[in-house]
Structures are given as C-alpha cells and as structure tokens.
Amino acid sequence: MEFVTGYRDHLIDFSELMFHWYRKYVTERGKGVGEPEGWRRRKEGAVRRLPPDGSLWTLHVIRNSRTALTVENPALQIQEGFYNDEALSLRDLEKYVSLINLEDEEEEELALQHDHFIHIDYLLLLTDEDGFAMGLDFTLTHGAPLTATQLAMKCYDLLCQGITFPMCGCEPHRPRQLIIGDEDIQS
C-alpha cells in the first residue's frame, strides 16, 4: 500500500524512530572494555545538570519467553552488532536477523539448528505519564539469563539515556518520580 499510494503508515514511522533512537543509544554506549562505564559517568553528569520536572515516568520491564532471533549471516555482523551502516531502516534488518516464535519450536532444538541463536529475555520500555516513549532497550542472551544486577544496570543506562535524549523528541529533563515495573530491580 505504501508504494502504490505514497501513504506512509504511522506504525512504520514509529518503528523507524525506535530503530534510529536505539541505534544511537547502542553506538554511544559502546561495547569495548571500559566504554560503558565512561559513558555512564558522562550521562550521570549530564542528568545532574538537567532541571527537574514534575512528571512521573514508568519503566516497564516486560519478560519474554516466546521470542528469540537468529543471525542470518554472521559474516555481516560488526563487533557483535546485528547490522552495519547499510541497515538504514527496520526492514533492512531482515538481511541480518530472523525472529523465531519459541512456542512453535523447542528452544534446545533451535539452539542446535542455529549456531547464532539469541534469546530476547526482556523488553525495557521507559514512558512518561502521558504514555510517550522516552526510551527502549532489550536484553539478548546466548543461554543463561542476566543476573538481577546486570538487568538493573541495563535499566539504569536506559533511564540515563531517556532523560538526556528522550525518544519522543521533547527537551531533556529529569522526572519527579520513577515507577519500576519489576520488584527484583526495585530492591
């Protein structure tokens, strides 16, 4: 429909917004030794300088037991990423990864069939009180799930990025209060 009429679906726009925001987030945070810690310190400093806002934010921690992915062509991966600069839109990722419904297949069988089987353990979604997305992240594991501490650090990093570079395009600001939708992370 999009190619025939020129109509652009809002879901496609939103998907591409999420994709580009997430790509910037992952690129800035880095994956090398010491990079995430340095990024975290810089973000903490930036957060402290921002004015507080009266808003309430929610960090949704959504557990996933049904979806995994496989890397289509491991040769195209760059430093454990799933894409390179050729992946300019969400649809371009099809060359690099495939989503798998774990309800249809046994996870052990899939791991044996695919050398590059990756489980998506959590979706982390940060929203403001009006429901606007301030940021998102997800956890990918090759077997053992993240520890509570590792998950908490992923949530903390997402919060810092959402405050300093909100996905919805508003000005950076600190929320008055944060509600975390997972008891294990709250403690």
Side-chain angles (χ1 to χ4, degrees):
M1 181 175 178
E2 181 178 345
F3 298 108
V4 176
T5 65
Y7 171 76
R8 184 155 172 90
D9 189 76
H10 295 295
L11 185 58
I12 293 173
D13 289 338
F14 182 66
S15 298
E16 289 185 1
L17 167 72
M18 289 190 309
F19 177 75
H20 289 292
W21 184 91
Y22 185 75
R23 184 175 180 188
K24 177 180 174 30
Y25 171 50
V26 169
T27 303
E28 281 184 2
R29 191 174 56 197
K31 293 187 178 198
V33 175
E35 284 184 51
E37 291 81 15
W39 176 87
R40 195 173 291 128
R41 282 193 299 277
R42 289 188 303 276
K43 284 291 182 180
E44 288 170 348
V47 166
R48 284 188 194 102
R49 290 188 295 273
L50 288 173
D53 189 310
S55 62
L56 169 70
W57 288 12
T58 303
L59 177 60
H60 306 272
V61 180
I62 304 164
R63 297 178 196 282
N64 171 52
S65 59
R66 299 179 182 170
T67 308
L69 57 88
T70 60
V71 177
E72 289 297 314
N73 186 349
L76 294 176
Q77 280 188 275
I78 297 177
Q79 297 176 352
E80 297 183 12
F82 295 118
Y83 51 82
N84 62 17
D85 287 336
E86 293 174 12
L88 299 177
S89 70
L90 196 59
R91 285 173 283 182
D92 291 338
L93 284 178
E94 290 178 347
K95 296 187 282 192
Y96 301 95
V97 295
S98 291
L99 294 177
I100 299 170
N101 183 349
L102 295 177
E103 289 182 337
D104 295 342
E105 303 185 44
E106 290 291 323
E107 191 166 344
E108 286 182 25
E109 285 180 28
L110 288 170
L112 293 173
Q113 291 173 3
H114 303 281
D115 292 337
H116 301 279
F117 175 80
I118 301 164
H119 190 262
I120 304 168
D121 292 320
Y122 294 93
L123 169 66
L124 308 173
L125 179 63
L126 184 63
T127 61
D128 69 4
E129 60 193 0
D130 295 320
F132 290 107
M134 305 305 275
L136 80 134
D137 199 355
F138 46 92
T139 64
L140 304 174
T141 58
H142 295 280
L146 294 179
T147 65
T149 302
Q150 291 170 320
L151 182 58
M153 289 310 298
K154 289 277 279 184
C155 291
Y156 181 76
D157 289 350
L158 175 60
L159 179 62
C160 288
Q161 182 72 3
I163 289 172
T164 58
F165 187 69
M167 181 187 290
C168 69
C170 65
E171 291 294 317
H173 62 282
R174 288 183 295 161
R176 171 183 46 84
Q177 185 178 1
L178 175 69
I179 296 172
I180 301 174
D182 189 292
E183 291 180 8
D184 294 336
I185 297 171
Q186 292 178 12
S187 53

CSV table of all heavy atoms in Angstrom, one decimal, residues 8 11-20 87-97:
chain,number,residue,atom,x,y,z
A,8,ARG,N,2.1,6.7,4.1
A,8,ARG,CA,3.1,6.1,5.0
A,8,ARG,C,2.5,5.8,6.3
A,8,ARG,O,2.0,6.7,7.0
A,8,ARG,CB,4.3,7.1,5.2
A,8,ARG,CG,5.4,6.6,6.0
A,8,ARG,CD,6.7,7.3,5.7
A,8,ARG,NE,7.7,6.9,6.6
A,8,ARG,CZ,8.5,5.9,6.4
A,8,ARG,NH1,8.4,5.2,5.3
A,8,ARG,NH2,9.5,5.6,7.3
A,11,LEU,N,2.7,3.3,12.0
A,11,LEU,CA,3.5,2.3,12.7
A,11,LEU,C,4.9,2.2,12.1
A,11,LEU,O,5.9,2.0,12.8
A,11,LEU,CB,2.7,0.9,12.6
A,11,LEU,CG,3.4,-0.2,13.4
A,11,LEU,CD1,3.5,0.1,14.8
A,11,LEU,CD2,2.6,-1.5,13.2
A,12,ILE,N,5.0,2.3,10.8
A,12,ILE,CA,6.3,2.3,10.2
A,12,ILE,C,7.2,3.5,10.6
A,12,ILE,O,8.3,3.3,11.0
A,12,ILE,CB,6.2,2.3,8.6
A,12,ILE,CG1,5.6,1.0,8.1
A,12,ILE,CG2,7.6,2.5,8.0
A,12,ILE,CD1,5.3,0.9,6.7
A,13,ASP,N,6.6,4.7,10.7
A,13,ASP,CA,7.3,5.8,11.2
A,13,ASP,C,7.8,5.6,12.6
A,13,ASP,O,8.9,5.9,13.0
A,13,ASP,CB,6.4,7.1,11.2
A,13,ASP,CG,6.1,7.6,9.8
A,13,ASP,OD1,7.0,7.3,8.9
A,13,ASP,OD2,5.1,8.3,9.6
A,14,PHE,N,6.9,5.1,13.5
A,14,PHE,CA,7.2,4.8,14.9
A,14,PHE,C,8.3,3.8,15.0
A,14,PHE,O,9.3,3.9,15.7
A,14,PHE,CB,6.0,4.4,15.7
A,14,PHE,CG,6.3,4.1,17.1
A,14,PHE,CD1,6.6,5.2,17.9
A,14,PHE,CD2,6.2,2.9,17.7
A,14,PHE,CE1,6.9,5.0,19.3
A,14,PHE,CE2,6.4,2.7,19.0
A,14,PHE,CZ,6.8,3.7,19.8
A,15,SER,N,8.2,2.7,14.2
A,15,SER,CA,9.3,1.6,14.2
A,15,SER,C,10.6,2.2,13.8
A,15,SER,O,11.6,1.9,14.4
A,15,SER,CB,8.9,0.5,13.2
A,15,SER,OG,7.7,-0.1,13.6
A,16,GLU,N,10.6,3.0,12.8
A,16,GLU,CA,11.9,3.6,12.3
A,16,GLU,C,12.5,4.6,13.4
A,16,GLU,O,13.7,4.7,13.6
A,16,GLU,CB,11.8,4.2,11.0
A,16,GLU,CG,11.6,3.2,9.9
A,16,GLU,CD,11.6,3.7,8.5
A,16,GLU,OE1,11.7,4.9,8.3
A,16,GLU,OE2,11.5,2.8,7.6
A,17,LEU,N,11.6,5.4,14.0
A,17,LEU,CA,12.0,6.2,15.1
A,17,LEU,C,12.7,5.4,16.2
A,17,LEU,O,13.8,5.7,16.7
A,17,LEU,CB,10.8,7.0,15.7
A,17,LEU,CG,11.1,7.7,17.0
A,17,LEU,CD1,12.0,8.9,16.8
A,17,LEU,CD2,9.8,8.1,17.7
A,18,MET,N,12.0,4.3,16.6
A,18,MET,CA,12.6,3.4,17.6
A,18,MET,C,14.0,2.9,17.2
A,18,MET,O,14.9,2.9,18.0
A,18,MET,CB,11.7,2.3,18.0
A,18,MET,CG,10.5,2.7,18.8
A,18,MET,SD,9.5,1.4,19.4
A,18,MET,CE,9.2,0.3,18.0
A,19,PHE,N,14.0,2.4,15.9
A,19,PHE,CA,15.2,1.8,15.4
A,19,PHE,C,16.4,2.8,15.4
A,19,PHE,O,17.5,2.5,15.9
A,19,PHE,CB,15.0,1.3,14.0
A,19,PHE,CG,16.2,0.8,13.3
A,19,PHE,CD1,16.7,-0.5,13.7
A,19,PHE,CD2,16.9,1.5,12.3
A,19,PHE,CE1,17.8,-1.0,13.0
A,19,PHE,CE2,18.0,1.0,11.7
A,19,PHE,CZ,18.5,-0.2,12.1
A,20,HIS,N,16.2,4.1,15.0
A,20,HIS,CA,17.2,5.1,14.9
A,20,HIS,C,17.6,5.5,16.3
A,20,HIS,O,18.8,5.7,16.6
A,20,HIS,CB,16.8,6.3,14.0
A,20,HIS,CG,16.8,5.9,12.6
A,20,HIS,ND1,17.9,5.6,11.8
A,20,HIS,CD2,15.7,5.8,11.7
A,20,HIS,CE1,17.5,5.3,10.6
A,20,HIS,NE2,16.2,5.4,10.5
A,87,ALA,N,22.1,-0.9,7.1
A,87,ALA,CA,20.8,-1.1,7.7
A,87,ALA,C,20.2,0.3,8.1
A,87,ALA,O,20.4,0.8,9.2
A,87,ALA,CB,20.8,-2.0,8.9
A,88,LEU,N,19.5,0.9,7.2
A,88,LEU,CA,19.1,2.3,7.4
A,88,LEU,C,17.6,2.3,7.9
A,88,LEU,O,17.2,3.3,8.4
A,88,LEU,CB,19.1,3.1,6.1
A,88,LEU,CG,20.6,3.2,5.5
A,88,LEU,CD1,20.5,3.9,4.2
A,88,LEU,CD2,21.4,3.9,6.5
A,89,SER,N,16.9,1.2,7.8
A,89,SER,CA,15.5,1.2,8.3
A,89,SER,C,15.3,-0.2,9.0
A,89,SER,O,16.1,-1.1,8.8
A,89,SER,CB,14.5,1.4,7.2
A,89,SER,OG,14.5,0.3,6.4
A,90,LEU,N,14.2,-0.3,9.7
A,90,LEU,CA,13.9,-1.5,10.4
A,90,LEU,C,13.8,-2.7,9.4
A,90,LEU,O,14.2,-3.8,9.7
A,90,LEU,CB,12.6,-1.3,11.2
A,90,LEU,CG,12.3,-2.3,12.3
A,90,LEU,CD1,13.4,-2.4,13.3
A,90,LEU,CD2,11.0,-2.0,12.9
A,91,ARG,N,13.2,-2.4,8.3
A,91,ARG,CA,13.0,-3.5,7.3
A,91,ARG,C,14.3,-4.1,6.8
A,91,ARG,O,14.4,-5.2,6.4
A,91,ARG,CB,12.1,-3.1,6.2
A,91,ARG,CG,10.7,-3.0,6.6
A,91,ARG,CD,9.9,-2.4,5.5
A,91,ARG,NE,10.2,-0.9,5.6
A,91,ARG,CZ,9.7,0.0,4.8
A,91,ARG,NH1,8.9,-0.3,3.9
A,91,ARG,NH2,10.0,1.3,5.0
A,92,ASP,N,15.4,-3.2,6.8
A,92,ASP,CA,16.7,-3.7,6.3
A,92,ASP,C,17.3,-4.8,7.2
A,92,ASP,O,18.2,-5.5,6.8
A,92,ASP,CB,17.7,-2.5,6.2
A,92,ASP,CG,17.3,-1.6,5.1
A,92,ASP,OD1,16.6,-2.0,4.2
A,92,ASP,OD2,17.7,-0.4,5.2
A,93,LEU,N,16.8,-4.9,8.5
A,93,LEU,CA,17.4,-5.9,9.4
A,93,LEU,C,17.1,-7.3,9.0
A,93,LEU,O,17.7,-8.2,9.4
A,93,LEU,CB,16.8,-5.6,10.8
A,93,LEU,CG,17.4,-4.5,11.5
A,93,LEU,CD1,16.8,-4.3,12.9
A,93,LEU,CD2,18.9,-4.6,11.7
A,94,GLU,N,16.1,-7.5,8.1
A,94,GLU,CA,15.8,-8.8,7.6
A,94,GLU,C,17.0,-9.6,7.0
A,94,GLU,O,17.0,-10.8,7.1
A,94,GLU,CB,14.6,-8.8,6.6
A,94,GLU,CG,13.3,-8.4,7.1
A,94,GLU,CD,12.2,-8.3,6.1
A,94,GLU,OE1,12.6,-8.4,4.9
A,94,GLU,OE2,11.1,-8.2,6.5
A,95,LYS,N,17.9,-8.8,6.5
A,95,LYS,CA,19.1,-9.4,5.9
A,95,LYS,C,20.0,-10.0,7.0
A,95,LYS,O,20.8,-10.9,6.8
A,95,LYS,CB,19.9,-8.4,5.1
A,95,LYS,CG,19.3,-7.9,3.9
A,95,LYS,CD,20.2,-7.0,3.1
A,95,LYS,CE,20.4,-5.6,3.8
A,95,LYS,NZ,21.1,-4.6,3.0
A,96,TYR,N,19.8,-9.5,8.2
A,96,TYR,CA,20.8,-9.8,9.3
A,96,TYR,C,20.2,-10.7,10.4
A,96,TYR,O,20.9,-11.5,10.9
A,96,TYR,CB,21.2,-8.5,10.0
A,96,TYR,CG,21.9,-7.5,9.0
A,96,TYR,CD1,21.2,-6.5,8.3
A,96,TYR,CD2,23.2,-7.7,8.7
A,96,TYR,CE1,21.8,-5.7,7.4
A,96,TYR,CE2,23.8,-6.8,7.8
A,96,TYR,CZ,23.1,-5.9,7.1
A,96,TYR,OH,23.7,-5.0,6.2
A,97,VAL,N,18.9,-10.6,10.7
A,97,VAL,CA,18.3,-11.4,11.8
A,97,VAL,C,16.9,-11.9,11.4
A,97,VAL,O,16.3,-11.3,10.6
A,97,VAL,CB,18.2,-10.6,13.1
A,97,VAL,CG1,19.6,-10.2,13.7
A,97,VAL,CG2,17.3,-9.4,13.0
